[in-house]
Each structure stands twice: as C-alpha cells, then as structure tokens.
Amino acid sequence: MSTRKPATIAVRTGIESDTQHHAVVPPIYLSTNYGFPAFGEVPKYDYTRSGNPNRGLLETALYELESGTGAVVTNCGTSALNLWVSAFLGPDDLIIAPHDCYGGTYRLFNTRANKGDFKVRFVDQSDQTAFADALAQKPKLILLETPSNPLVRVVDIADVCAKAKQVGALVAVDNTFLTPIFQKPLELGADFVIHSTTKYINGHSDVIGGVVITKSEQHAEELAWWGNCIGATGTPFDSYMTLRGIRTLGARMKVHEESSKQILSFLQTQDLVGKIYHPSLPQHPGHEIAKKQQTGFGSMLSFEFAGSFEQLKFFVGQLELFSLAESLGGVESLICHPASMTHRAMGEAALAEAGVSQQLLRLSVGLEDAEDLVADLAQAFAKAKESF
Ligand SMILES: *Cc1c(COP(=O)(O)O)cnc(C)c1O
C-alpha cells in the first residue's frame, strides 16, 4: 500500500511507466487484442474486456487513493453498482440500501429485486431503530451513500461497519460526493468503495465511468471475474481520460471546498435563502459525524429558496455562471432543481418522504473564481427581488 499522500498518488500513478519510448505520460492502448508470445503462453493482457493497460493504471490509481488492494473500472457508476450486486447476491440474499440513495441506484436494485434476482430493503440509515430492524434480517450486503443527495445527510460509516460485522454483512460506501481526498471508507471499516467516476474523480464532465474498489484481494478477483463475465468493464479511452482527470484531483477538491465556504457565507446573508443544507454548518444534524470521518465537507450544497416558485424560476434564469443541468463534480458550476430534474422520477409522495421540496435548489460549486460565483448569485438574487 502506498504511504504517499492522495494528491501525489493522483499525479504520479503510471508516470514514466512506458518502457518502449520512455513517454512521461503513459500512452493509450486502443487495441482490442494482444499477441500471445508463444503457443500456450498467455500474456498479461489478451483481450480488452478482461484487461487493458490504461484501465489497469486507472484501477491502480483508484485503489491506492482509497487504500484498497484491488479495483474494477466499469463503464459507468451504475454498472459498478450492478457488478457489485451481481457478484455477491443470490435470490435469497438481502441488500440494505439508503431510502434516499441515488435515483438510478434505487431503480436498479428495485427492478432487479422485482425480477427475483435478490431481495432489497430501503432504509433510513440515520434512524437507529429502522436500521437495527433491517440488520436483524441478516443482510448479505449494505450500501451507504454519505453524504446523500440532495440533502447531504451524513451516516456514521465506522458505526454501521461495526454493526454489519456482527451479522456478517459486507459494506460498500458510495464515495462519489467526497472522493478519497475527503473520505476514506475502507479505513473506517468498509469492505468496498464505489464511485461514479463521472463526477469529481474525472472532474471535467466529459467521461461516464465507475469503479468498485475492494479491501480484500479475494473480493478483487471475484469482481474482476464478474466484470469480464457480464461485460461491465470500462473502455481504454475513457480510462485514459479519467486518469488524466485524476491528475488534478487533489488541487481541484481544495478549490471546490474553499469556494463552497465563500458561497455558504454569502448565502447565509440572503433573505431569499431559507434553510441551507451542508455538513459544515454546525446546525446540520450530521455535522459532528462529518467532522469525525471526513477531512473536508465537500462542495455539494442545497438550500430552500425563500421566495415564490415563480421567483425561484426567474432567479435560476438570471444566473450566468451556474448552468441549469444535472450531474455534479465538474469544473463548471451547476444549479439543479432536484424535484423537476434529478429526482423527478420519484413522484410526489416519495419526494416528500425524502424531504425534497419544490423550493429546493442544489449547487455543485465549480472551479470558476469564487468572487465571480458570489457576484453572479448576488446579481440574480437582486434581480429576483426587484422584479417581484
Ligand atoms: C451519478 C451517480 C451514480 C451513477 O453513476 P453513473 O456514472 O451516472 O452511472 C451513482 N451514485 C451517485 C452518488 C451518483 O452521483
């Protein structure tokens, strides 16, 4: 395991590894197949679905960043989750997932459970009684997503992992929102880390990808076997691009975090801003746990717009530096209205239960200059006030 700091691992993995021309940056291997040196001699890579040098380097970077021992890079975050459940669940096995998990994760688990592939229970993991009740049913797998989307609820990873061990369950943490720069679930007792690398890991909103990272070598082998079996693995070009994105992960996360602080202080001064959701705020219910298990609070935040719904729509339309779009974690700042965008498939009742109101807006704070971002929000709030 590397003892180097994450930013160093992110920059250096695979640098100067080319033995043919001594290219400093590892070259891209698009070839689908590789020659056998001699009859019966199987090379390290033979066919790209099962292995490729670019995907291999990305896997190394990712498991070293998360202090794991192995990883399988997949073609998207959803297929990473699908790979994980395919490898470890049978028809009689139960998985516990958060009631407010990523919408695509909910759809995947629910649909496959309805087909009889496995059993699933969606539980409010911050509700101790509900969680203990679910644990009593002896789940095989537990998925955590902390902080959650869009209300950035925080779950105590070490506590859940300790309880899971007692019933023999394996725990995975979807670490998409914080990345290993701010949270290392394997060090807190988790068995797997899953990412949608589409978000902060690649960081430039131009590659869809995912990964399952393991603590044990045996799990890594099982997942690699399953990744090849069901064809879930990522392409060489996407792997190359994602490793290129990772080079700046340490630097990017610092600026994301710093700018979020400035935006949060500004939002707190605005009359058109109601409740703000971010784990850095002392009144946030997960603040103490976040301080304990995270080394940064992250740059995803939500707030209730305190004007009318018409005013909210007008405000969003006035913004010049926050694009109205789904996804998150890229260099560009985004604003999202979860009820009509990312979470629209949930229906009114489920939205209400998850606490996602029509007034809720979510920001993914990007890497533009923070003063410009604050000025942009300020002008849009001012216009929203004048015009109504
Ligand atoms: C985006 C996302 C996913 C799904 O990843 P894709 O790359 O879109 O398939 C899973 N979990 C979280 C937390 C996400 O934000």
Side-chain angles (χ1 to χ4, degrees), residues 156-210:
D156 189 328
I157 297 174
D159 183 53
V160 169
C161 291
K163 289 176 178 151
K165 293 251 144 49
Q166 289 170 6
V167 299
L170 296 170
V171 179
V173 176
D174 183 330
N175 204 23
T176 299
F177 269 35
L178 290 177
T179 83
I181 301 295
F182 289 149
Q183 179 167 273
K184 304 272 289 275
L186 299 183
E187 292 182 358
L188 298 167
D191 304 283
F192 306 93
V193 169
I194 294 174
H195 282 276
S196 167
T197 57
T198 310
K199 317 293 168 51
Y200 289 100
I201 294 280
N202 177 60
H204 294 72
S205 306
D206 53 6
V207 182
I208 297 275

Side-chain angles (χ1 to χ4, degrees), residues 2 5 12 20 22 31 47 89 137 141 157 214 219 225 233 249 314 318 364:
S2 177
K5 301 272 192 291
R12 298 296 311 188
Q20 190 163 20
H22 310 286
S31 184
Y47 185 60
L89 292 179
Q137 296 189 313
L141 298 180
I157 297 174
T214 67
H219 286 153
W225 188 89
T233 49
L249 184 66
F314 180 84
Q318 296 308 306
S364 172

